[in-house]
């Protein structure tokens, strides 16, 4: 093995502020996004989308459209007999609807024509006759309706899935607590609204193979879905993920349009492109679920939590998407942020006639994080404990197990809290600012990659290959996809560091199922950690091959061979060296053609109960934030004036990018806190069954402009985690989590009202202020959590009570748990 | 098949004269991307709601998605492809690259063109002026802060370059 | 990509030529100036002209004359208007209004004439064609129900122009030229209470210029309520202009509400109340209540109608306090995000 010493002192690339490798291509307009691709003889596709929220399709007559000049092909649901879906448990989507439409925007037919305008014209010539079905507009309606379920695999009517777990006896824990706090919250759904609209181009070669270029975060999952839906060997399909113009989770599902253009290209033997309109992007959605939550939390006078009971209710929209995973995630990570001795939860996802919800930055976690952090603020207020101190007293020890058997690694939360408290001047501000101004604090934790794949398998989650040859050039291949987060830069920088060369010497090929080894995709903050570890392994193997050859040639002990500044040298006598290129030649002489691989699979989960596959991660990041706000009491308008944030990243690989991810997370959090909301609009039911997207445009879906963005003061806490590549943890999602509750808590500090809902609009703040002025409970938020008949909870004893990670051995629980396991949860655990 | 009557159009794009036969219903955005293959100019809504398609028309930043190509007869159009002077990147391009002014890069061409126009009018803009000038360019990745810092850095670079050039002359 | 449907494009070089084409082609032709409103609407099928008559080659429409009062060519872009410091000083409310329209990028193309004629807006109408089909269309276009006021026989789309309230408060008039005639109309009379047919302008008329008389002793201001610091149309606006004598007694006043009805609302009651008084706190307070009675916001734009109505008094307050000479710059910066002025 070659000489290895990785530390902050010796890093040449890692930890240094650097221009990311794709920056110059992007600032010159050379980066090719999917819609920038144009191929010879290319045709254009448009989709006809349902104008009804819920209906049976009786007939689809495409004869007039097919005859329209310039139209090459019209496809309908009849052309796509096979269902697909991201989770094996919810294979409920079709490229084009076949029997039924489930929301306004569900695609029914596709036209492929010489140009987009012609395709649009032909869409209006397709005659669809529908038989309308009752509209399910809200979670309340979904819970009540017994007719016309959207999906026939639903657990009951429109209830997609109910889950119940108990980690220890929570009733007992609450009964023994000095105080029990009960709070209900609502987090409205919102969407990614990446700047780039989804686009795809498919091209078929004469041998029958097909290539799809697409704006996708997960080419591997698109690859699988294409193979299934088109009933074709995956080996004959190539999926290339183009650089994404932003993803945030919105491009992690395989989409209708990707399958439609692939099929069309194969039928026509010509390239076919589709670029969605912005409205269609809102229809694709898969955004943040609307979640209603109820927390019952036991606290002792010293501020220690004794236990928590959490209930969540998710509006899933019309399809499964990642929904089962989302449902688990509204509960699974709660015990990661703070120590929780006992924890029980119940979660329910329902179907409604709206665009499907799915994963958005933080996937299922921001909603309960909002609830718990606001509740902690209430607890601190009631117990007269400083909110920062309260939280500092609840931090779990590093390298411990949570009550739900998640293994946490390094925990930098205390340092994060200390940092934002001191930097923000918290002690001089909290409860001390004049009315109208306030500060609020909140924290969060997030996983660095999901410990389980979407589909059950024992293969690596990320694979990296490195090719080197006598030119001295290094090419690194990985299935990971750069969605803007900078994963290509991470890949190149790690390989560069290990091989002691420069980033310009390393080319990277990513997100191409023909060329690159599988990486599961850019979701769950998994890429830096998983791809990174695989990349280091591959690079170190290359380094070892080179070192052994150089050691032989220069007669140096192999463990004395160092790599730096494009030289391979004797660490004892650096003058004994050769250039990197000469070294690769030596290696090629000695070993033959050079290629190495690295693989990464996450450590085995400690959870051994069904459903325990959601939540485990190789390590977790931690964040704390203080928000400063000003509230205008006449209008209820909240201005966030500054955000102080500290993020525990393990190790910062490129500080410029890390800071950018943190600020970007804060930005999205401020937007979600104040304005982002994907609503739906029900017309008066007496006059219409219509249920339409409320704000399917960039004007109506409110996001922060440069005027609305507060100043952000960022601190990065570095405490390398042994499971991370050179110690790195995630940064893409965690920093969003504390922002919404920090703002809500700051509003309370400013004017003494509680808005237990997100977004916190001026309308809600003013309403709360009016209630306050009238002497009422100054709170706006849901009054109650709906009555839901829950299944018997699966009982798992926490580790400190002797639990072994399996569903309980307690006889009175065992029977119920077993029944529940078999009936309800088995599928979910296998898939998530 | 669709198609309004095609009309001959003359534009100067990035200092090159271009003659192109366009349908009268085409916007400048479509002509740039589809007829002139200048795909560096992006689109996020085509309704004037995002700023991704910003180009300079006679020096002013405008939305190419809401501008008829025919209204640009004889106009000087500048796009992201013309921002660098051959192999010399514009200071804004370097600053964005160095200071995290971009992540996914999709809003970046529009941001850069808007910022270019700003710095030509206001050599050392205040933060408030930068915010106002770029308030019509949405970004979902960066949270804008590093974009603002990049514009400030570029302004300093440009000023220093001009000062040193003036120093050499005198 | 959203594209424009096919149309015929004509770019006359004189007003008379434009008016002649408009007469000959009839209602299938529409005028386009900056196009920032119309082209977006055309992409969504809200407006479907077969012929577009571009006004951009008519040089006279871009003129500004300061000789007696102020005359603005209708084709003047809002961006150019904002660069005119004398307008900022003499017609502050107009300048402020122009400065908060949409975004700086749109203001470089959008014209004053276009903003005056801006199509009324409604969240049931400003949508793509297929979305509108999903609600079976609406009274403003292809349907028979006004979804925001289902019992209304009249379209209740919202007047969303920023400059019109300001111009009305400044007593502006506009020149309308047709092939056969020419007339000058008071801005306050240009609009009517029907979202589908909101302009008194005849379809054969070209709005060529905005005429403002010399303003002696007048001060004016414009306050806009919107969710974000950019992009958004007003969800309430207050344009206020007062003429005072040397001692601060009001001789004349015009207070106009925007974006809370299908037309800008000039309050004669407020004028009558204010004349002869000074802008003391009680007078300002009372004016706020007078104006609030006038507002008829509906649920067809951002945020709730009740909240928007509640905001009227405080916005009238901001405006009148500014005209009284209070220092509201911080508040204005926060609410209007205006970097200049």
């Amino acid at each position: 093995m070659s000489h290895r010493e990785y530390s902050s002192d010796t890093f040449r690339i890692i930890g240094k502020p650097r221009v990311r490798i794709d920056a110059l291509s992007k600032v010159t307009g050379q980066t090719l996004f999917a819609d920038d691709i144009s191929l010879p003889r290319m045709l254009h596709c448009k989709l006809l989308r349902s104008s009804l929220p819920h209906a049976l399709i009786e007939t689809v007559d495409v004869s007039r459209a097919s005859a329209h000049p310039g139209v090459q092909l019209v496809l309908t649901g009849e052309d796509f007999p096979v269902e697909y879906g991201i989770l094996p448990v919810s294979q409920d989507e079709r490229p084009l609807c076949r029997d039924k439409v489930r929301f306004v925007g569900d695609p029914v037919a596709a036209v492929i024509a010489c140009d987009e305008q012609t395709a649009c014209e032909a869409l209006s010539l397709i005659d669809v006759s529908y038989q309308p079905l009752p509209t399910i507009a809200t979670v309340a309606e979904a819970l009540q309706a017994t007719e016309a379920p959207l999906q026939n695999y639903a657990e009951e009517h429109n209830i997609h899935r109910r889950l119940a777990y108990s980690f220890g006896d929570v009733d007992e824990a609450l009964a023994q607590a000095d105080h029990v706090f009960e709070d209900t919250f609502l987090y409205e759904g919102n969407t990614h609204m990446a700047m780039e609209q989804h686009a795809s181009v498919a091209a078929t070669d004469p041998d029958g193979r097909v290539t799809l270029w697409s704006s996708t975060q997960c080419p591997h999952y698109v690859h699988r879905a294409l193979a299934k839906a088109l009933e074709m060997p995956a080996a004959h399909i190539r999926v290339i993920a183009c650089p994404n113009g932003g993803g945030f989770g919105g491009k992690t599902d395989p989409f209708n349009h990707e399958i439609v253009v692939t099929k069309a290209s194969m039928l026509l033997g010509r390239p076919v492109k589709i670029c969605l309109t912005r409205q269609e992007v809102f229809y694709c959605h898969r955004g943040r679920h609307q979640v209603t939550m109820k927390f019952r939390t036991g606290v002792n006078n010293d501020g220690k939590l004794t236990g928590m009971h959490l209930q969540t209710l998710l509006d899933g929209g019309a399809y499964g998407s990642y929904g089962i995973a989302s449902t688990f995630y509204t509960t699974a990570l709660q015990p990661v942020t703070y120590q929780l001795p006992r924890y029980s939860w119940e979660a329910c996802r329902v179907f409604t006639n709206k665009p499907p919800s799915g994963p958005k930055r933080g996937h299922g976690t921001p909603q309960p994080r909002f609830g718990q952090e606001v509740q902690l603020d209430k607890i601190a207020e009631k117990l007269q404990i400083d909110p920062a101190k309260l939280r500092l007293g609840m931090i779990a020890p590093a390298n411990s197990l949570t009550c739900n058997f998640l293994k946490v690694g390094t925990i930098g939360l205390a340092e994060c809290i200390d940092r934002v408290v001191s930097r923000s001047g918290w002690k001089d501000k909290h409860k001390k600012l004049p009315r109208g101004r306030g500060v609020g604090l909140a924290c969060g934790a997030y996983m660095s990659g999901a410990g389980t794949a979407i589909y059950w398998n024992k293969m690596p989650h990320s694979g990296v290959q490195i090719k080197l040859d006598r030119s001295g050039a290094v090419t690194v291949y990985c299935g990971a996809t750069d969605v803007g987060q900078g994963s290509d830069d991470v890949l190149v920088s790690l390989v560069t560091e290990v091989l002691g060369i420069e980033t310009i010497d390393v080319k990277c090929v990513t997100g191409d199922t023909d060329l690159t080894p599988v990486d599961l995709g850019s979701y769950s903050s998994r890429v830096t950690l998983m791809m990174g570890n695989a990349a280091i392994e591959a690079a170190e193997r290359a380094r070892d091959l080179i070192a052994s050859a150089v050691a032989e040639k220069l007669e140096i002990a192999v463990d004395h061979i160092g790599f730096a500044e494009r030289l391979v040298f004797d660490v004892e006598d650096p003058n004994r060296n050769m250039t990197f290129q000469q070294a690769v030649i030596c290696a090629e002489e000695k070993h033959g053609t050079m290629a190495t691989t690295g693989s990464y699979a996450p450590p085995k989960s400690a959870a051994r109960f069904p459903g325990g596959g959601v939540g485990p991660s190789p390590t977790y990041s931690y964040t704390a934030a203080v928000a400063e706000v000003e509230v205008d009491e006449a209008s209820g308008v909240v201005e966030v004036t500054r955000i102080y944030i500290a993020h525990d990243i393990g190790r910062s690989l490129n500080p410029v990018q890390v800071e950018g991810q943190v600020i970007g997370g804060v930005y999205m959090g401020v937007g979600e806190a104040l304005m982002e909301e994907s609503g739906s609009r029900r017309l008066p039911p007496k006059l219409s069954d219509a249920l339409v997207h409320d704000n399917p445009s960039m004007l109506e879906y409110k996001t922060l402009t440069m005027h609305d963005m507060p100043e952000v003061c960022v601190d990065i806490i570095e405490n390398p985690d042994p499971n991370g590549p050179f110690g790195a943890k995630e940064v893409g999602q965690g920093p969003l989590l504390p922002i919404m509750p920090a703002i809500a808590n700051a509003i309370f500090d400013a004017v003494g009202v509680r808005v237990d809902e997100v977004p916190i609009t001026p309308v809600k703040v003013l309403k709360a202020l009016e209630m306050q002025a009238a002497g009422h409970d100054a709170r706006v938020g849901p009054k109650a959590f709906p009555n839901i008949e829950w299944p018997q909870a699966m009982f798992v004893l926490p580790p400190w009570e002797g639990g072994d990670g399996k569903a309980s051995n307690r006889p009175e629980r065992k029977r119920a748990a077993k029944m529940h396991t078999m009936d309800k949860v088995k599928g979910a655990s296998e898939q998530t | 098949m669709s198609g309004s009557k095609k009309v001959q159009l003359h534009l100067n794009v990035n200092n090159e004269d271009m003659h192109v036969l366009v349908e009268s219903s085409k916007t400048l955005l479509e002509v740039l991307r589809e007829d002139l293959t200048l795909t560096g100019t992006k689109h996020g809504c085509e309704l004037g709601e995002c700023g991704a398609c910003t180009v300079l028309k006679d020096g002013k930043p405008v939305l190419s998605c809401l501008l008829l190509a025919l209204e640009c007869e004889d106009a000087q159009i500048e796009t992201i492809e013309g921002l660098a002077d051959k192999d010399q990147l514009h200071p804004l391009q370097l600053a964005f690259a160095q200071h995290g002014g971009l992540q996914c890069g999709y809003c970046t061409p529009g941001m850069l063109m808007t910022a270019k126009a700003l710095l030509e009018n206001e050599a050392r803009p205040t933060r408030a002026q930068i915010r106002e000038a770029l308030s019509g360019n949405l970004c979902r990745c960066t949270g804008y802060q590093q974009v603002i810092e990049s514009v400030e850095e570029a302004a300093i670079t440009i000023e220093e370059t001009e000062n040193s050039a003036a120093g050499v002359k005198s | 990509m959203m594209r424009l449907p096919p149309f015929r494009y004509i770019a006359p070089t004189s007003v008379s030529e434009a008016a002649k084409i408009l007469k000959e082609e009839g209602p299938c032709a529409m005028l386009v100036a900056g196009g920032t409103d119309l082209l977006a609407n055309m992409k969504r099928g809200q407006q479907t002209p077969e012929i577009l008559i571009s006004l951009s080659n008519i040089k006279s429409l871009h003129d500004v004359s300061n000789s007696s009062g102020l005359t603005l060519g209708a084709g003047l872009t809002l961006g150019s208007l904002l660069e005119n410091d004398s307008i900022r000083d003499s017609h502050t409310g107009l300048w402020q209004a122009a400065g908060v329209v949409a975004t700086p990028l749109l203001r470089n193309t959008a014209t004053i004439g276009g903003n005056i004629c801006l199509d009324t807006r409604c969240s049931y109408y400003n949508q793509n064609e297929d979305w509108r089909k999903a609600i079976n269309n609406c009274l403003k276009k292809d349907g028979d129900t006004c979804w925001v006021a289902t019992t209304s026989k009249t379209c209740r789309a919202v007047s969303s122009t920023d400059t019109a309230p300001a111009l009305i408060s400044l007593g502006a008039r506009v020149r309308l030229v047709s092939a056969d005639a020419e007339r000058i109309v008071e801005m306050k009379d240009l609009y009517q209470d029907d979202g589908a047919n909101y302009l008194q302008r005849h379809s054969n008329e070209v709005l060529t210029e905005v005429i403002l008389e010399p303003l002696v002793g007048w001060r004016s201001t414009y306050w806009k309520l919107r969710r974000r610091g950019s992009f958004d149309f007003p969800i309430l606006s207050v344009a206020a202009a007062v003429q005072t004598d040397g001692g601060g007694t009001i001789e004349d006043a015009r207070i106009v509400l925007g974006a809370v009805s299908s037309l800008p609302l000039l309050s004669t009651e407020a004028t009558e109340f204010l004349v002869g008084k000074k802008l003391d706190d009680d007078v300002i307070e009372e004016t706020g209540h007078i104006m609030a009675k006038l507002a008829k916001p509906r649920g067809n734009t951002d945020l709730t109608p009740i909240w928007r109505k509640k905001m009227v008094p405080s916005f009238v307050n901001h405006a009148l306090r500014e005209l009284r000479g209070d220092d509201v710059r911080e508040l204005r910066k926060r609410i209007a995000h205006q970097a200049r002025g």
Side-chain angles (χ1 to χ4, degrees), chain A residues 275-294:
Chain A
C275 181
L276 302 188
T277 63
R278 180 53 62 182
Q279 183 204 54
E280 290 179 290
V281 174
F282 280 96
Y283 289 161
C284 285
H285 190 44
R286 322 287 160 151
R288 181 126 28 254
H289 287 72
Q290 183 212 60
V291 181
T292 312
M293 299 161 266
K294 181 178 174 184

Side-chain angles (χ1 to χ4, degrees), chain B residues 20-45:
Chain B
V20 55
L21 205 56
V22 302
E23 290 165 24
S24 57
S25 62
K26 277 203 165 186
T27 58
L28 178 63
L29 171 70
E30 292 163 76
V31 170
L32 289 173
R33 284 182 56 83
E34 294 165 3
D35 297 279
L36 303 175
T37 64
L38 294 168
T39 53
T41 300
K42 302 303 174 202
H43 61 103
C45 68

Side-chain angles (χ1 to χ4, degrees), chain A residues 572-719:
Chain A
E572 302 297 323
D573 178 7
N575 288 327
R576 301 183 66 203
N577 65 51
M578 63 173 79
T579 65
F580 181 78
Q581 185 190 359
Q582 288 168 332
V584 176
I585 290 169
C586 280
E588 205 176 330
E589 285 167 356
K590 179 176 165 67
H591 304 292
T593 301
M594 298 274 291
T596 62
T597 63
S599 309
Y600 183 82
K604 203 170 173 337
S605 167
R608 292 152 79 191
F609 55 88
V614 184
S617 176
T619 184
Y620 300 84
S621 75
Y622 289 83
T623 318
V626 167
E628 256 183 34
V629 304
E630 290 187 23
V631 181
D632 175 38
E633 293 197 62
S635 61
V637 169
V638 174
E639 186 186 5
V640 179
T641 50
R642 194 170 280 122
I643 298 280
Y644 300 90
I645 185 164
H647 182 72
D648 158 33
I649 194 171
R651 178 172 324 266
S652 167
L653 298 179
N654 183 346
V656 181
Q657 298 313 315
V658 167
E659 191 164 317
Q661 285 294 311
V662 173
I663 299 168
V666 170
Y667 151 84
M668 204 165 269
V670 175
E672 292 196 19
L674 300 181
M675 55 181 78
E676 291 194 31
E677 180 174 1
S678 20
S680 61
R681 212 180 310 170
R682 182 86 162 91
L683 266 53
K686 279 183 187 167
L687 301 174
S688 169
D689 289 324
L691 176 69
V692 284
H693 198 297
D694 189 53
N695 45 5
S697 69
M698 290 170 108
L699 179 65
E700 295 165 291
Y701 182 84
K702 302 297 181 194
T703 62
L704 306 180
T705 73
M706 208 174 268
H707 275 312
D708 311 300
M709 179 65 196
E711 187 190 339
V712 186
C713 305
V714 181
D715 274 299
I716 302 299
I717 308 297
E718 290 192 85
N719 173 20

Side-chain angles (χ1 to χ4, degrees), chain A residues 17 347 459 505 559 680 697 810:
Chain A
M459 293 174 280
D505 304 333
D559 60 356
S680 61
S697 69
R810 283 168 61 177

Side-chain angles (χ1 to χ4, degrees), chain C residues 27-47:
Chain C
C28 72
M30 283 184 82
L31 298 172
V32 60
T36 51
D37 183 39
L38 179 61
L39 298 184
N41 287 359
M42 284 172 66
K43 287 181 178 183
R44 294 177 142 187
Q46 294 161 245
Q47 279 142 340

Side-chain angles (χ1 to χ4, degrees), chain A residues 329 333 405-407 447 449-452 603 605-607 611-618 620:
Chain A
Y329 278 129
L333 299 188
F405 288 86
L406 302 178
K407 269 186 235 163
M447 51 186 191
T452 331
S605 167
V614 184
S617 176
Y620 300 84

Side-chain angles (χ1 to χ4, degrees), chain A residues 26-27 35-36 69 121 192-193 197 278 656 660-661 664 667 676 698-699 703-704 706-707 709 712, chain B residues 1-2 33 42-44 46 49 80 93 102-104 131-132 135 138-146:
Chain A
K26 285 176 174 172
V27 297
D35 192 43
D36 299 335
E121 288 161 11
H192 325 83
M193 209 194 81
Q197 299 145 311
R278 180 53 62 182
V656 181
Q661 285 294 311
Y667 151 84
E676 291 194 31
M698 290 170 108
L699 179 65
T703 62
L704 306 180
M706 208 174 268
H707 275 312
M709 179 65 196
V712 186
Chain B
M1 272 189 280
S2 71
R33 284 182 56 83
K42 302 303 174 202
H43 61 103
E46 305 95 63
E49 299 173 353
I80 188 66
Q93 292 173 307
L102 65 101
Q103 286 180 27
C104 83
R131 281 180 192 272
E132 170 63 10
S135 67
L138 290 182
C139 170
R140 289 292 274 168
C141 297
T142 62
Y144 303 114
Q145 189 156 307
Q146 289 173 312

Side-chain angles (χ1 to χ4, degrees), chain A residues 86-87 93 189-192 248-253 255 282-291 314-327 329-330 349-350 354-367 446 523 678 733:
Chain A
I86 184 68
L87 298 187
E93 299 190 52
N190 56 47
T191 201
H192 325 83
F248 317 111
K251 295 165 182 166
T252 48
D253 283 61
F255 283 103
F282 280 96
Y283 289 161
C284 285
H285 190 44
R286 322 287 160 151
R288 181 126 28 254
H289 287 72
Q290 183 212 60
V291 181
L314 296 80
D315 185 343
Y319 289 92
S321 182
Y322 282 80
I324 297 290
S326 317
T327 308
Y329 278 129
T330 62
R349 184 179 193 261
V350 299
K354 294 186 278 199
S357 306
K360 182 188 171 194
R361 200 175 204 168
H363 194 188
T365 308
Q367 301 97 325
Y446 202 68
Y523 66 94
S678 20
Q733 311 194 62

